[in-house]
Amino acid sequence: MLPRRLTASDPGWTIDTDIVVIGSGIAGLVAALRARTAGRVLLVTKALLDDGSTRWAQGGIAAALAPGDSPEEHLEDTLTAGVGVCDPEAVRVLVTEGPQAVRGLIEIGTDFDRDRDGHIALTREGGHLKRRIAHAGGDATGAEISRALLAATKDAGIEVVEHALALDLLVEDGRAAGVTLHVMGEGQRDGVGAVRARAVVLATGGLGQVFEATTNPEVSTGDGLALALRAGAEVADVEFVQFHPTVMWLGPDAKGRQPLISEAVRGEGAFLVDGSGERFMTGRHPLADLAPRDVVAKEIMKRMRETGEPCVYLDGRNLGPRIWAQRFPTILASCERHGIDPVNEPIPVLPAAHYASGGVRTDLWGRTSVPGLYACGEAACTGVHGANRLASNSLLEGLVFAERIGQALPGDLGAGAPAPSGAAGAPAPALLDPAVRTEVQHIMTTDSGVLRNGPGLDRAATALAALADRTTDRPCTEAWEATNLHTVATLIVASAREREETRGSHWRSDFPDVSEDWRGHLVSTLTGETLTTTFRRGA
């Protein structure tokens, strides 16, 4: 049983606008900037405006910018990484519109790294056959993109509400009519309130906090995905949670957000070894250490099982001190903070939860199955990523499809979308005890992590169902987040149980092969309080 609404007090304040955008990463900021052509825009963010996940992106943004590259080649690499379940039409949109979208970032002031001739410096990452990753500040690409977009947002005078957790969608006559929020602070607007709007754009980021160890920031608790599900929207492909293969191992008890070692380090020549120094990726895939992330993560886990060691190592000693200092200054500083000198010693690494390839199902213009509700970025499932996201396609997807939402909104809202006057009668609310959060994370890490099997997923489903009875009548941020994480975990486990094959980032040891019978999407909806998951064949 999953809740259709979160327990919360009645709204104590109201804002009226045309479009509310929830999230301040690349997808949210671009959507807010482009949506201004359709009316008044309010941008809501869970923490501070510059705390979106984009700022943590190290590697870069992928686009066919080099003379020797093409959108068609980028498309082929993306389809290969997605293992047969990408939407080819969505991928074509991404790769053909991507180069101009990146140039648009440059036009608003994004300062990408340049080579000696003044051209954008491009590198490779796993799964790419060409050097097409643009980066900034060496390994601070996300921070530079965020800086430029935040400056543009400020210049545009977009109204912003910070420290605001989105609770539930307001729905009127089957259409999105705004959102309820809880603002965590003091001032003119605090506590629970309502934003009434003609369109709602979800750009709430990922769900990595559903696992014990993740690269995601603490705010990534799947709020947008849970909100959309409660509102009746379709969600898809949630079983495909990508585990980044090279996350710094800080010991067996390390939990929460862990330091990421960008794939670009391997793109520049670093390689993986086990405890004896053997390069175990050689011969495992034609691209060896630059194989797609799902392949590398699986091979790391296999080698750890074979050797009994708690981690493997990323050996970047061949890069030399100059490359580390100039190309990877952020990673170098992170390693040094944890007592590791990557110039002279290998870095201990292992996979950790990184990216949700699935999300709220959308069309090519960001529209969800609920009229007036849009989604972009990691919260969305556009069909671009399929079973495994190609490295550095995430920033590009957020950019391209947020732009498309901005293009669609004027026509959509001009087609007769009514001004909202309130919400329809809401179903009975529910809320889980905050202590459920750590239990959900342990269940997911133990039985629905990198390696899955039927008995483990059955255990996870039973344990999660039992937690649904641990309710509280005391609304607070911790309880809302715990409830969202429980909903997201239930979604992931339900889809992982259904998909009886190994494909991309979904690895079933009891069904180790890819099956043509599962070439398609698992789409979930909430009917009453019951989760329904159906299989739709075809990419």
Side-chain angles (χ1 to χ4, degrees), residues 367-385:
R367 304 181 187 100
T368 74
S369 59
V370 175
L373 179 64
Y374 301 75
C376 52
E378 192 173 353
C381 180
T382 62
V384 160
H385 303 308

Side-chain angles (χ1 to χ4, degrees), residues 328-385:
F328 303 113
T330 306
I331 297 173
L332 176 61
S334 177
C335 288
E336 290 174 343
R337 280 195 301 272
H338 292 95
I340 299 166
D341 176 11
V343 176
N344 295 301
E345 62 181 318
I347 307 167
V349 294
L350 81 173
H354 181 58
Y355 191 87
S357 293
V360 186
R361 189 171 174 84
T362 73
D363 67 8
L364 296 179
W365 298 95
R367 304 181 187 100
T368 74
S369 59
V370 175
L373 179 64
Y374 301 75
C376 52
E378 192 173 353
C381 180
T382 62
V384 160
H385 303 308

Side-chain angles (χ1 to χ4, degrees), residues 274-276 278 280 300-312:
D274 61 19
S276 67
E278 181 181 348
F280 58 87
I300 288 173
M301 297 302 293
K302 288 178 182 177
R303 181 51 58 106
M304 287 166 56
R305 284 192 298 169
E306 291 168 1
T307 64
E309 296 173 342
C311 67
V312 296

Side-chain angles (χ1 to χ4, degrees), residues 82-444:
V83 201
V85 291
C86 297
D87 178 346
E89 191 175 357
V91 178
R92 190 167 296 281
V93 165
L94 179 82
V95 300
T96 55
E97 298 182 10
Q100 185 54 44
V102 173
R103 294 185 186 103
L105 289 178
I106 296 171
E107 290 172 5
I108 66 167
T110 305
D111 186 14
F112 288 107
D113 294 339
R114 303 275 175 167
D115 60 22
R116 293 178 180 177
D117 298 322
H119 302 301
I120 295 176
L122 300 173
T123 189
R124 273 185 70 194
E125 293 184 2
H128 292 273
L129 296 182
K130 291 288 180 69
R131 296 178 75 91
R132 65 169 66 97
I133 315 300
H135 49 85
D139 57 359
T141 312
E144 172 59 17
I145 291 174
S146 290
R147 182 203 61 76
L149 287 172
L150 288 168
T153 302
K154 183 177 180 180
D155 291 344
I158 294 172
E159 184 180 2
V160 176
V161 177
E162 296 181 312
H163 297 296
L165 171 63
L167 299 178
D168 279 305
L169 194 71
L170 299 175
V171 179
E172 187 175 85
D173 298 326
R175 181 181 181 85
V179 66
T180 54
L181 306 172
H182 179 264
V183 177
M184 300 165 277
E186 298 179 359
Q188 187 176 4
R189 298 179 184 128
D190 64 309
V192 176
V195 177
R196 297 188 302 198
R198 296 195 293 157
V200 177
V201 181
L202 294 177
T204 49
L207 48 80
Q209 292 292 328
V210 79
F211 296 94
E212 288 180 324
T214 178
T215 63
N216 291 189
E218 284 69 21
V219 295
S220 298
T221 51
D223 305 320
L225 183 60
L227 176 151
L229 187 74
R230 290 194 295 270
E234 292 183 344
V235 301
D237 295 349
V238 292
E239 68 272 30
F240 298 123
V241 178
Q242 185 179 80
F243 285 73
H244 198 289
T246 54
V247 175
M248 193 186 304
W249 184 67
L250 300 178
D253 299 323
K255 293 181 174 59
R257 184 171 177 269
Q258 305 296 300
L260 174 67
I261 309 298
S262 171
E263 201 152 29
V265 177
R266 280 177 283 137
E268 294 295 336
F271 50 86
L272 290 159
V273 297
D274 61 19
S276 67
E278 181 181 348
R279 292 187 62 173
F280 58 87
M281 286 303 301
T282 302
R284 302 292 182 100
H285 188 276
L287 295 177
D289 294 274
L290 283 176
R293 289 177 177 175
D294 64 308
V295 175
V296 180
K298 290 170 189 172
E299 293 301 331
I300 288 173
M301 297 302 293
K302 288 178 182 177
R303 181 51 58 106
M304 287 166 56
R305 284 192 298 169
E306 291 168 1
T307 64
E309 296 173 342
C311 67
V312 296
Y313 298 86
L314 182 64
D315 193 339
R317 291 175 291 181
N318 61 317
L319 273 59
R322 185 181 63 83
I323 294 295
W324 275 108
Q326 294 181 5
R327 181 68 180 83
F328 303 113
T330 306
I331 297 173
L332 176 61
S334 177
C335 288
E336 290 174 343
R337 280 195 301 272
H338 292 95
I340 299 166
D341 176 11
V343 176
N344 295 301
E345 62 181 318
I347 307 167
V349 294
L350 81 173
H354 181 58
Y355 191 87
S357 293
V360 186
R361 189 171 174 84
T362 73
D363 67 8
L364 296 179
W365 298 95
R367 304 181 187 100
T368 74
S369 59
V370 175
L373 179 64
Y374 301 75
C376 52
E378 192 173 353
C381 180
T382 62
V384 160
H385 303 308
N388 179 55
R389 174 176 69 85
L390 181 64
S392 287
N393 268 357
S394 54
L395 292 180
L396 190 70
E397 184 203 30
L399 174 62
V400 167
F401 286 92
E403 295 259 13
R404 290 197 135 224
I405 289 173
Q407 295 171 34
L409 279 169
D412 289 356
L413 297 188
S421 59
L431 199 62
L432 298 189
D433 188 284
V436 162
R437 177 175 182 145
T438 56
E439 296 182 53
V440 167
Q441 292 170 329
H442 181 70
I443 291 166
M444 294 299 289

